[in-house]
Amino acid sequence: MSHDVIDVQGLNVWVNSERTAPKHIVKNVNFSLKRGQCLALVGESGSGKSVTARALVGLAGDRLAVQAERLTLQGESLLGRSDAWWQQVRGTKVGFILQDALVSLDPLRPVGKEIAEALALHGWGTASSRQQKVHALLEEVGVPQAELRASQRPGELSGGLRQRTLIASAIALHPEVLIADEPTTALDVTVQAQVLDVLRQMLDRGTSVILISHDLAVVAKIADHILVMQGGSIVESGSAQQVLQHPQHAYTQGLIKAIPSDHTKGHRLSGVAAVEIPSTLAARKFADEVLLEARHIIKHFRGHSAVADVSFQLKRGETLGIVGESGSGKTTLSRIALALESPDSGEVLYGGKPWSHATASQQRAIRRQIAVVYQDPLSSFDPRWRVSDILLDAIALDPYPARQTPRERAISLLQSVGLTADHLHQWPARMSGGQRQRVAIARAIATHPQVIVLDEAVSALDVTIQAQILDLLSDLQTQLGVSYLFISHDLGVIHHMSDRVLVMQNGIAVEQGNADDVFYRPRHPYTQKLLASLPRLGAAELA
């Protein structure tokens, strides 16, 4: 067994509760990890993959009971260890990278001091040598201007820089094993590629990596072996090529089928039947026309050009996808399209009439026709309101007379997004992420909008839930004739959903055109760079 860095046999984890019977959440998990090998744990939220990883580093928590036939690190048992013992092992033998870098890092301290503290905790070097080591670590993980970045707080760094800072902290003492829990979720495709390059370099130097992810395309980039988890159990395991190219279990097949890409365009991603919209929600019919038009939009913030001379048109019943990295200007452009920001120059028209520069009364008349769905629906809901309150508030703004009572219409809205009347009385905070996003979409269509702006509306969802929401949006577009301004950093989602695509870089629209033209025949070097960074499940990725 000496060649196995980690050996796990018969791992079981229960949730202990004084009021209810113990709940079995990780069930008889077995695997081993060799030096320089990447093992990926994949599955949806609640599948048990993160709990499994936390059990390996003594972070399962007091409410969880961990049992195993064998649980060893370099031949040494990990069971029954004290907190003091774990403090010596974490960092030196095992590094742990959490998903949300902004939450994981102290917002009040420069990131360099946080990394230095990890070194000081284990008695490494002097204050001066630790500072030099911090700069070297930041450079090692690809952070530019390492000395400057070390002096900055997390809020001053981009998502990619924060994530690389976490990696620098995790590898500071060169641990034998690195556990990375969703290290690339919600990152731009180019930043995602940079993070994966850092992990690949760790593997090349002999570090063993456990990668936790629901993104099989990311896993395909670096994993040697894959364990697929569902409901706390391993339902499939094997080499990356075997699992991804020849999946045996129906759950694995469903995960792969749910990934949006150029090949899925025009096809359903989920196994969920198409939603039928109640006749009372049927859209009014119009001839083909330009609904939303931006003309030469310019916007500056503190001397910085956030949007520079960008124009686009959105026609009735079509989807315009807007892509670009963080800071590219896509969200600012969407806020201007929603008339939540005013452009410094240029204008936005709705139906050929002024929108961005309209009077308050003119904007009120138009606003019902333009809705928005955000990445985090919970933060856009009043925390004091149940689902019924959220929908009834939106229904009160509907300008069209209804043949239903407000409650009947609320139920119709829920049915139109695949929910039921039982959800009316629920608190959004107690619903799943996919259910909350369905409520947000139901609220958005309550006033018969002609345009819906979707700002990273599926980026925080598991791949199968994302597939259901994308299918739902397609169903609504087909039956309601609604137009989408679809903003995302996920190129697979954009290609699957969009008729046309606008590519943003540093506030500039560097490329715009038919979706297939942009994806298959990109003209601009930046678009070519984005597409080259896109992780895919093709055989080439597994060679």
Side-chain angles (χ1 to χ4, degrees):
M1 299 283 183
S2 59
H3 60 286
D4 287 336
V5 180
I6 284 182
D7 186 26
V8 178
Q9 298 297 319
L11 175 65
N12 290 275
V13 181
W14 285 269
V15 177
N16 285 326
S17 173
E18 296 178 356
R19 292 176 290 183
T20 60
K23 183 180 178 181
H24 201 180
I25 58 173
V26 172
K27 307 165 186 176
N28 198 36
V29 166
N30 305 294
F31 65 86
S32 60
L33 181 67
K34 294 177 172 54
R35 176 178 167 80
Q37 181 187 53
C38 179
L39 172 71
L41 301 179
V42 304
E44 298 172 286
S45 296
S47 63
K49 57 188 188 296
S50 291
V51 174
T52 297
R54 286 178 173 274
L56 299 179
V57 290
L59 292 175
D62 296 336
R63 294 182 61 248
L64 299 184
V66 178
Q67 296 180 359
E69 297 171 17
R70 186 165 58 248
L71 191 63
T72 63
L73 171 64
Q74 295 177 320
E76 195 170 7
S77 177
L78 300 175
L79 296 171
R81 294 295 187 175
S82 66
D83 290 342
W85 186 87
W86 275 116
Q87 286 176 3
Q88 293 302 313
V89 169
R90 293 189 205 110
T92 57
K93 293 185 178 181
V94 182
F96 198 80
I97 306 169
L98 296 171
Q99 173 184 342
D100 192 337
L102 188 58
V103 173
S104 304
L105 295 167
D106 187 337
L108 301 179
R109 282 197 302 174
V111 295
K113 287 190 175 181
E114 186 137 354
I115 300 172
E117 184 180 84
L119 295 168
L121 185 65
H122 294 279
W124 192 96
T126 63
S128 177
S129 63
R130 285 195 291 270
Q131 186 178 37
Q132 293 176 358
K133 176 72 169 176
V134 166
H135 297 162
L137 284 166
L138 290 174
E139 290 175 356
E140 185 178 342
V141 297
V143 173
Q145 299 176 290
E147 290 188 33
L148 170 63
R149 299 304 188 185
S151 67
Q152 293 180 318
R153 292 179 172 83
E156 299 176 271
L157 303 178
S158 68
L161 289 178
R162 290 196 298 263
Q163 197 66 8
R164 278 177 275 183
T165 297
L166 271 188
I167 295 175
S169 181
I171 67 173
L173 294 162
H174 304 288
E176 292 290 322
V177 178
L178 191 62
I179 299 176
D181 191 354
E182 298 282 7
T184 62
T185 295
L187 294 182
D188 297 327
V189 63
T190 50
V191 176
Q192 183 182 84
Q194 293 164 5
V195 170
L196 291 176
D197 283 343
V198 172
L199 295 180
R200 194 177 292 108
Q201 292 166 15
M202 300 294 101
L203 291 166
D204 292 342
R205 287 200 287 268
T207 302
S208 303
V209 175
I210 296 178
L211 174 64
I212 300 166
S213 180
H214 66 264
D215 190 333
L216 291 176
V218 165
V219 166
K221 284 274 190 179
I222 62 170
D224 300 299
H225 196 87
I226 295 175
L227 303 181
V228 182
M229 297 192 70
Q230 181 188 26
S233 299
I234 295 174
V235 297
E236 186 162 358
S237 67
S239 69
Q241 184 166 2
Q242 175 187 331
V243 172
L244 297 177
Q245 295 297 316
H246 307 287
Q248 300 300 304
H249 196 276
Y251 178 70
T252 312
Q253 294 167 359
L255 287 177
I256 293 173
K257 181 183 176 182
I259 299 173
S261 69
D262 53 344
H263 302 300
T264 63
K265 195 175 184 69
H267 300 281
R268 297 188 74 78
L269 297 170
S270 70
V272 179
V275 170
E276 292 189 10
I277 308 300
S279 59
T280 51
L281 299 179
R284 295 178 297 164
K285 302 298 182 183
F286 292 89
D288 182 42
E289 62 177 309
V290 174
L291 277 181
L292 194 67
E293 182 177 8
R295 295 179 176 175
H296 305 291
I297 299 298
I298 295 175
K299 183 69 177 180
H300 293 89
F301 290 112
R302 299 175 183 174
H304 167 70
S305 179
V307 179
D309 196 21
V310 174
S311 300
F312 68 79
Q313 290 184 338
L314 178 64
K315 295 182 179 179
R316 186 175 300 282
E318 77 166 357
T319 298
L320 173 64
I322 302 181
V323 299
E325 297 173 289
S326 295
S328 63
K330 58 185 188 294
T331 295
T332 300
L333 185 61
S334 73
R335 288 181 60 80
I336 291 173
L338 286 163
L340 299 176
E341 297 275 358
S342 297
D344 295 332
S345 180
E347 63 177 342
V348 179
L349 306 177
Y350 179 82
K353 298 178 180 179
W355 167 230
S356 57
H357 296 300
T359 65
S361 61
Q362 290 172 330
Q363 285 193 343
R364 279 195 297 272
I366 295 173
R367 193 167 294 283
R368 298 186 185 96
Q369 300 180 48
I370 303 179
V372 60
V373 178
Y374 296 105
Q375 175 179 346
D376 180 12
L378 192 58
S379 64
S380 70
F381 296 151
D382 189 320
R384 301 167 298 178
W385 283 2
R386 297 178 189 265
V387 170
S388 57
D389 300 314
I390 293 167
L391 295 183
L392 291 172
D393 180 66
I395 289 168
L397 300 175
D398 186 1
Y400 308 117
R403 297 190 299 270
Q404 300 172 297
T405 66
R407 185 179 186 279
E408 289 172 340
R409 183 162 166 75
I411 293 173
S412 292
L413 286 167
L414 288 176
Q415 291 171 342
S416 72
V417 297
L419 297 177
T420 68
D422 292 339
H423 292 95
L424 270 180
H425 305 293
Q426 292 192 11
W427 297 99
R430 298 178 183 175
M431 302 175 79
S432 69
Q435 289 174 331
R436 286 197 292 264
Q437 201 62 298
R438 288 172 187 268
V439 172
I441 294 170
R443 178 179 64 179
I445 65 174
T447 59
H448 291 88
Q450 303 305 308
V451 173
I452 299 180
V453 177
L454 299 147
D455 191 355
E456 298 285 5
V458 297
S459 64
L461 302 176
D462 287 332
V463 64
T464 50
I465 304 302
Q466 173 184 270
Q468 294 171 16
I469 297 299
L470 293 178
D471 283 350
L472 169 63
L473 291 170
S474 295
D475 294 340
L476 293 174
Q477 186 169 58
T478 299
Q479 298 184 54
L480 298 181
V482 68
S483 304
Y484 294 140
L485 196 63
F486 205 114
I487 298 152
S488 179
H489 67 270
D490 189 320
L491 299 181
V493 168
I494 287 293
H495 198 175
H496 175 82
M497 292 294 293
S498 302
D499 300 296
R500 292 184 300 111
V501 174
L502 185 154
V503 183
M504 298 280 294
Q505 182 191 28
N506 298 328
I508 300 170
V510 297
E511 190 156 352
Q512 185 173 177
N514 175 276
D516 285 346
D517 287 340
V518 171
F519 277 87
Y520 293 140
R521 293 169 290 277
R523 300 186 307 274
H524 195 276
Y526 176 70
T527 312
Q528 294 166 0
K529 175 188 173 185
L530 283 180
L531 294 172
S533 301
L534 177 64
R536 293 180 173 87
L537 281 175
E541 295 291 349
L542 304 174

